[in-house]
Amino acid sequence: MHKNKSHSELDKLKTNLEFSLKQSMKNIDSYTHVRGESLYVDDVNVREGTFYAVVFDSPKAHGKIKSIDYSEAEALEGVERIFTYKDIPGDNQIGGIIPDEPLFAEDEVHFWGMPIALVVAKSELIARQARRLIKIDIEELPVITTAKEAKEKDSFINAPRSFNLGNTEKAFHDCEYIYEGETFSNGQEQLYIEAQGSYAEPLENGNIKITSSTQGPTAVQKTTAKVLGLPMHKIEVDVTRLGGGFGGKEDQATPWAVMAALATYHLKQSVKLILNRHDDLRMTGKRHPYESNYKIGLSKDLKILAYEVEFLQNSGASADLSPAIAERTLFHATNSYFVQNVKSTVYSCKTNLPPNTAFRGFGGPQGMFVIESAIAKAASELGVAARQIQEANLLQENDVFSYGQIAKQVEAQNSWDAAKAIFNIEELEQKVEDFNKNNAAFKKGLALMPITFGISFTNTPMNHARALVHIYLDGSVGISTAAVEMGQGVNTKMLQIAAKIFAVNTSKVKIETTNTTRVANTSPSAASSTADLNGKALLKACNSLLDRLKIVASEVLNVSKDSIELKDEFVYCNSEKTTMSWTELISTAMLKRIALTENAHYATPEIHFDKTKEKGHPFAYHVFGTSITIVTVDCTRGTYEFDAVKVVHDYGKSMSEGIDLGQAEGGLVQGMGWMTMEEIAYDTNGRLLSNALSTYKVPDVFSVAKNIEILPLETLGNDMAILKSKAVGEPPLMYGIGAYFAIQNAIKAFNPNYKHKFHAPMTPEKVLISLYNK
Ligand code: MTE
Ligand code: HPA
Ligand code: MOS
């Protein structure tokens, strides 16, 4: 039910945040980050005799390899060896969901940048020089770069998927208004600051250790073992941290690790392979571009009675994670709205682009953009504000999603109402209107964007994790989990959990690297679920140890176990401080030969999904929120600046306000970049044109809104979330979609004849054309 919060309550929310922010813990990496001391793959201490590798890749997007001449390259002084598919002792296959992707091309190439060979030399410079000496002859085949073209030619990755609810055909008969249209959203480069890379070193007995910049250590281990024809236990993967992943290293960190390991396997020497920015941009996949069409039907009172949508996902040349991403598009096709009749279908279209892959939101943003476009179109045709349609359809408690899950602890209406009230929407709208009345050369636009995002890997079997905890005999603590730190602050959260349960100072806790020999068979750090899954496992392990330690204390103090409590590094008995410190407790436990190590496993309860019916309960919970975006468009130039983005976000009960606020701000800005300025461009031959930071513009400190304000919605949190602190990694990205519609509204204020176009990103060129398009 929809609860209204009073203004004084809402003011209290604001002050609560300011207060708690001051108290919250800093990201434990901030100290080494600002001093330049944080370690990345490129910082590993290389062994004497290490070789350096570069990847030789296809200079054409599609064709048959007629011949390759490596002789000149091989003859170059300092070149050790060039590896191709012929050197693979196991399978030349790295496809995760569908086995359709060779590590190295054999007879055909399928995208510009497809790896063909690995050049290994005494230095990276020599390897690069050698790469230029390779001669390749390719017989070109037709190139497909767009999803539409792929669909026309029946070029698909797999069968289409559909989620349906009710009966749209029947419902359209009852609709007062029906609108149809097309949308396009472009790809997006993950642009992690640390490029893809790995370092492989030989251990004894043919074992190999790989240091990788990967979100998925187990994926690297598993695929390396498969390609090398070795059992997994011979491959150890270690990750200290990533200089960003954003989904781009969920699957696509793997090939570079496998290649380095392949060279190590043959040469019995360490091999370092780090892509430079050009190679990384050219060879790796990005967010999937989508071409979609929709049909939306509304009643007289603006209820969306029926919604049909067809998504064409540009998957690239092989599956990679595309099927899972396509699935999440369907999960989020109706965003924060309840629609009784839905028919949604997604086609994963096979093209000759690099395999597109995970990017924050994982297909969800692409789905949400379409329904927001449909609403904007309907609003424009009906001459009402989009927010009236949005508001009339917000998801309520116990509404059903098209995939069968019943919506619980819904905060769609609450966050919407809170955003409107706290930021005084009427006043904001009035200011925009007044400004537009008084200015001819500049126009402002405003848009609201509600978000609802499902938390869990949509593939139920992936939702589990493990943690390994050692308490050392001096009372210090070491923690291993499957969580990969990529800037999102998960290590800080893990540290907070252990420090809280053991009631010790955070300096007593160390977070170890993520390593497959300590925590095995893990899912990647992704789906915003890393802290929930690993945190819950860690909580279990810490609580088991705590229980054991309480027994030790109760025996020594000769009291009942239930009267024991740990607080501020001391044992308390019936709330009274005893003389037994944490350190003494641990040494006592050692003398009593009590195990001070624990390993625990957590699997998300309750979730399930039946793919044969496309129904189930795939998400542990949902995250909600609402943004208000205000933009000023320079109508002479087509350029624009964001005046403000104001957000009310459902963090549950945030366990690390500073980190979570950082995630919300970062996600928002990344979403705004996707919608406004980041423009991936391939030519018709499948060659990447936006192949450098001079031709691919991402938001910087000057291009983000001067006034970003993200306030927490005080909610009960959710027991499935770690310490009721809801997942925050991906959902805020989708607030950025509001930027697109704010710009559209500003254009409309200047050019009343403007017919909305839904073709993202809304670059200044497109704005300028739209301003003067009659
Ligand atoms: N934040 C930073 N700084 N760097 C990243 O690479 N990745 C995002 C998000 N926030 C990312 C980030 C993505 S795509 C996901 S899925 C989540 O963090 C992963 O971490 P979590 O599961 O701990 O939220
Ligand atoms: N999100 C992110 N990554 C994933 C998912 C998901 O739902 N499923 C498989 N990999
Ligand atoms: Mo995030 S796209 O799930 O790595």
Side-chain angles (χ1 to χ4, degrees), residues 198 210-226 232 235-239 249-258 261 516:
S198 65
I210 303 171
T211 304
S212 168
S213 181
T214 180
Q215 291 174 240
T218 293
V220 169
Q221 181 195 19
K222 181 178 148 198
T223 310
T224 303
K226 180 176 170 167
M232 279 172 75
I235 310 294
E236 171 184 349
V237 179
D238 191 79
V239 183
K249 295 171 182 170
E250 182 174 338
D251 237 31
Q252 296 202 4
T254 300
W256 330 110
V258 178
T516 53

Side-chain angles (χ1 to χ4, degrees), residues 215 244-247 359-361 486-488 490 525-531 663 728-730:
Q215 291 174 240
F246 303 110
F359 194 139
R360 211 168 191 171
M486 57 187 117
Q488 87 278 42
V490 70
S525 284
S528 304
S529 302
T530 316
Q663 283 294 293
V728 70
E730 292 166 287

Side-chain angles (χ1 to χ4, degrees), residues 183 294 296 304 307 309 311 332-337 364-380 386-391 393-394 416 447-452 625-627 674-675 734-742 744-745 756-758:
T183 73
Y294 64 82
I296 191 168
I304 303 170
Y307 181 59
V309 57
F311 299 104
H332 296 303
T334 53
N335 188 16
S336 291
Y337 311 108
Q366 290 97 318
M368 293 185 194
F369 177 68
V370 182
I371 192 155
E372 293 303 325
S373 297
I375 290 172
K377 163 94 171 182
S380 164
R387 86 160 158 102
Q388 280 178 262
I389 301 177
Q390 291 173 312
E391 185 162 326
N393 292 283
L394 287 174
W416 178 272
L448 277 83
M449 177 69 198
I451 62 134
T452 296
T626 299
S627 70
W674 171 53
M675 282 282 107
M734 284 147 276
Y735 294 131
I737 295 173
Y740 186 91
F741 295 96
Q744 293 277 312
N745 291 340
H756 284 256
K757 275 197 199 66
F758 305 108

Side-chain angles (χ1 to χ4, degrees), residues 69-82 119 126 130 133-134:
D69 180 1
Y70 294 109
S71 56
E72 259 188 73
E74 280 167 338
L76 188 72
E77 166 92 36
V79 170
E80 185 65 19
R81 199 169 147 183
I82 297 177
V119 183
I126 295 171
L133 300 174
I134 300 172

Side-chain angles (χ1 to χ4, degrees), residues 428-494:
L428 294 175
E429 282 175 335
Q430 193 59 50
K431 276 190 185 155
V432 167
E433 211 181 304
D434 293 347
F435 180 91
N436 288 347
K437 250 187 229 140
N438 298 323
N439 290 277
F442 291 85
K443 294 288 179 192
K444 287 189 192 289
L446 179 150
L448 277 83
M449 177 69 198
I451 62 134
T452 296
F453 196 79
I455 301 303
S456 285
F457 286 95
T458 56
N459 184 25
T460 304
M462 291 175 78
N463 292 284
H464 61 135
R466 275 159 298 287
L468 175 68
V469 180
H470 299 312
I471 304 174
Y472 294 100
L473 53 89
D474 65 352
S476 64
V477 177
I479 285 169
S480 298
T481 71
V484 169
E485 176 60 53
M486 57 187 117
Q488 87 278 42
V490 70
N491 280 357
T492 306
K493 291 185 176 181
M494 295 304 109

